[in-house]
């Protein structure tokens, strides 16, 4: 298995080096690439192939992934094997321990698009169109989520998919992540918190700055060039004011060397942003992602600052309807729900009936209409039938994406206003709420990540696995 990983690195690096050198020669002298580059597949991703003939070494474990359901050949292409080294080693080790298999690495037929190797290559006045005439370019028809969405069909005798995302889809998302978050994909951690207000960023960065050097955390990275490798107080003072102008969804990463730290992304407002960022983070195979943001309370008994633990969703976000119809239920992930509830109990200092005074569990409406209040008379019956207790614009989208991409998900919101009961988000009231609620709300999310980290394989529920599921998590 170690030899397989080494061969993935060798084939990938050789392809990237060849493609870079050929581009550099073309830019410098107009030299056209040799004809054998495509014929010999010298610009292509490595292909990882597993052959299984039906013999088990040991009874397969009951976990939700790392399973070969039928004899045959399983194939995927791989990019950036150094970035995914720990993930690949884990997946291959699980399969090798339980099945008699053969691993093989070859050059695939899938070419690496030139935009993904241009780092360090000066292209001068050469246009992308000129490069695309001679080198592999991004063919959108070849990129998609057919495997994740269950629409991929293997022909008779063709290999089965080994992973949800191939090299081309992964590179597409890695490039988009850097663009949207303003940070390197290498810094993204496996436990992800999403929020929809910048004040959570200030609180997270201050807290994270103090954690560097303890509990396995080695650095704090963030949009706008933030990078701390030693603990500091008041780290928010080092945040760049230009991050929001240059990056749509800035991210901040409290890094552990094994990648098990915490990433916070401020996705802003709306289901489109929520879909965009989760489409791309999914290729990094997070252990879990959680929405920790604000919502409108829909019940008179709720108070500003109360918590809403989403147990179900009324999906009026619409952005995923073509790939995941709204009538498809999103199951609550028990391990995530328990972690959020336990963390809320730890932070609030009360459990049982006392916690119920601060936290309601129920249905959250996610809408794509920021001014839904203006159409409330049309929505009231639907909200009442759903027994909804909160409304926002991101939570159901994030959870639906977790369902699509097999990433455990959960939502804990904080009531910032009660529009149906005359408690609107007025400026003075908003400031008092923010000051009092944000620190404790964020702390619940952070403790939840610690609790989920302890779950290990148990976190990955079989509720998220489809028919004919690829073996890799």
């Amino acid at each position: 298995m170690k030899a397989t990983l080494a061969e993935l690195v060798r084939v990938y690096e050789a392809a990237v080096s060849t493609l870079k050198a050929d581009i550099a020669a073309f830019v410098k002298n107009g030299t056209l690439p040799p004809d054998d580059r495509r014929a010999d597949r010298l610009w292509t991703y490595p292909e990882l192939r597993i052959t299984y003939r039906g013999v088990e070494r040991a009874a397969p474990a009951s976990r939700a992934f790392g399973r070969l359901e039928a004899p045959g050949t399983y194939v995927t292409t791989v990019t950036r094997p150094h970035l995914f080294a720990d993930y690949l080693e884990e997946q291959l080790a699980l399969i090798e321990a339980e099945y008699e298999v053969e691993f093989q690495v070859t050059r695939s037929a899938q070419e690496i698009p030139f935009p993904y190797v241009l780092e360090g290559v000066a292209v001068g006045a050469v246009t992308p169109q000129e490069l695309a005439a001679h080198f592999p370019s991004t063919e959108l028809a070849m990129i998609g989520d057919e495997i994740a969405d269950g629409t991929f069909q293997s022909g008779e005798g063709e290999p089965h998919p080994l992973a949800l995302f191939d090299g081309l889809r992964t590179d597409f998302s890695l490039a988009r992540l850097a663009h949207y978050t303003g940070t390197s994909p290498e810094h993204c951690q496996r436990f992800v918190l999403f929020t929809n207000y910048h004040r959570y960023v200030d609180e997270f960065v201050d807290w994270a700055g103090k954690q560097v050097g303890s509990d396995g955390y080695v650095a704090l990275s963030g949009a706008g060039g933030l990078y701390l490798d030693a603990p500091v107080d008041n780290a928010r003072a080092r945040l760049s004011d230009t991050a929001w102008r240059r990056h749509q969804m800035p991210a901040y990463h409290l890094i552990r060397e094994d990648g098990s730290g915490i990433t916070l992304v401020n996705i802003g407002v709306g289901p489109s942003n929520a879909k965009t960022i989760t489409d791309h983070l999914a290729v990094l195979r997070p252990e879990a992602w959680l929405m920790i943001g604000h919502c409108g309370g829909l019940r008179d008994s709720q108070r500003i600052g109360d918590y809403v633990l989403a147990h179900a969703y009324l999906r009026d976000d619409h952005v995923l309807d073509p790939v995941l119809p709204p009538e498809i239920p999103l199951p609550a992930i028990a391990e995530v729900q328990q972690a959020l509830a336990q963390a809320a109990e730890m932070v609030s200092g009360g459990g049982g009936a006392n916690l119920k005074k601060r936290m309601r569990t129920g249905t959250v409406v996610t809408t794509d209409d920021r001014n839904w209040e203006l159409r409330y008379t049309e929505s009231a019956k639907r909200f009442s039938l759903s027994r909804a207790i909160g409304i926002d614009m991101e939570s159901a989208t994030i959870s639906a994406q977790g369902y699509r991409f097999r990433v455990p998900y959960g939502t804990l919101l904080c009531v910032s206003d009660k529009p149906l009961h005359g408690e609107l988000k007025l400026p003075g009231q908003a400031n008092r709420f923010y000051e009092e609620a944000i620190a404790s709300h964020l702390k619940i999310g952070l403790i939840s990540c610690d609790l989920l980290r302890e779950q290990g394989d148990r976190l990955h529920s079989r509720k998220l696995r489809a028919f004919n599921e690829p073996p890799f998590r």
Side-chain angles (χ1 to χ4, degrees), residues 230-472:
V232 298
D233 291 326
N234 194 29
R236 77 174 69 181
R238 307 190 182 207
L239 288 174
S240 168
D241 290 336
T242 66
W244 267 110
R245 288 195 285 272
R246 292 189 293 154
H247 309 292
Q248 187 173 349
M249 289 174 275
Y252 304 86
H253 315 283
L254 183 56
I255 299 170
R256 284 186 168 187
E257 288 185 351
D258 63 358
S260 67
I262 301 171
T263 285
L264 176 80
V265 186
N266 186 357
I267 61 176
V269 176
S272 180
N273 277 6
K275 179 183 184 297
T276 296
I277 197 66
T278 46
D279 275 340
H280 302 313
L281 279 171
V283 305
L284 293 172
R285 307 315 298 137
E287 298 287 351
W289 57 41
L290 309 175
M291 179 64 191
I292 306 293
H294 293 172
C295 71
L298 297 180
R299 300 302 182 97
D300 186 50
S301 58
Q302 292 171 301
R303 297 171 299 173
I304 304 296
D306 281 358
Y307 299 123
V308 169
L309 177 58
H311 189 72
Y313 301 91
L314 179 59
R315 291 178 52 209
D316 285 345
D317 52 331
H318 303 301
V319 69
L320 287 170
D321 289 2
V323 293
L324 190 68
E327 66 268 20
I328 301 299
L330 304 180
I333 309 300
E335 292 80 2
V336 177
Q337 299 296 95
Q338 290 168 0
L340 286 167
Q342 183 180 345
E345 183 175 332
M346 293 167 66
V347 172
S348 66
N354 288 330
L355 182 58
K356 288 182 179 180
K357 293 178 182 178
R358 288 290 316 279
M359 185 172 75
R360 290 280 297 270
T361 299
T363 297
V364 168
V365 181
T366 293
T367 178
D368 58 357
D369 183 358
R370 179 60 189 87
N371 294 315
W372 62 270
E373 298 97 331
L374 301 179
R375 299 176 59 250
Y376 177 68
T377 53
E378 300 175 37
S379 307
K381 182 179 179 181
R382 182 170 169 80
F383 290 180
S384 181
L385 286 172
S386 74
R387 307 299 191 263
I389 61 173
I391 184 166
D392 80 340
M393 298 188 68
E394 301 85 24
S395 295
T397 313
I398 287 169
S399 294
Q401 288 282 79
Y403 181 82
R404 282 183 72 208
F405 297 134
R406 288 68 157 175
V407 178
Y409 51 84
T411 299
L412 184 74
L413 303 174
C414 196
V415 175
S416 60
D417 61 338
K418 294 170 57 182
L420 305 187
H421 306 97
E423 295 188 53
L424 302 178
K425 198 178 295 182
L426 301 175
Q429 181 186 40
N431 286 331
R432 287 193 300 273
F433 161 72
Y434 292 138
E435 291 169 2
E436 295 170 2
I438 285 178
S440 59
H441 190 198
L442 178 64
K443 190 174 181 180
I444 292 172
L446 298 170
I447 292 174
S448 296
C449 290
D450 290 337
L451 296 173
L452 292 173
R453 191 182 295 114
E454 297 170 2
Q455 292 281 337
D457 291 348
R458 293 172 296 171
L459 177 58
H460 298 279
S461 172
R462 281 174 282 184
K463 295 176 184 177
L464 301 181
R465 308 299 279 183
F467 299 160
N468 301 318
E469 186 75 8
F472 279 9

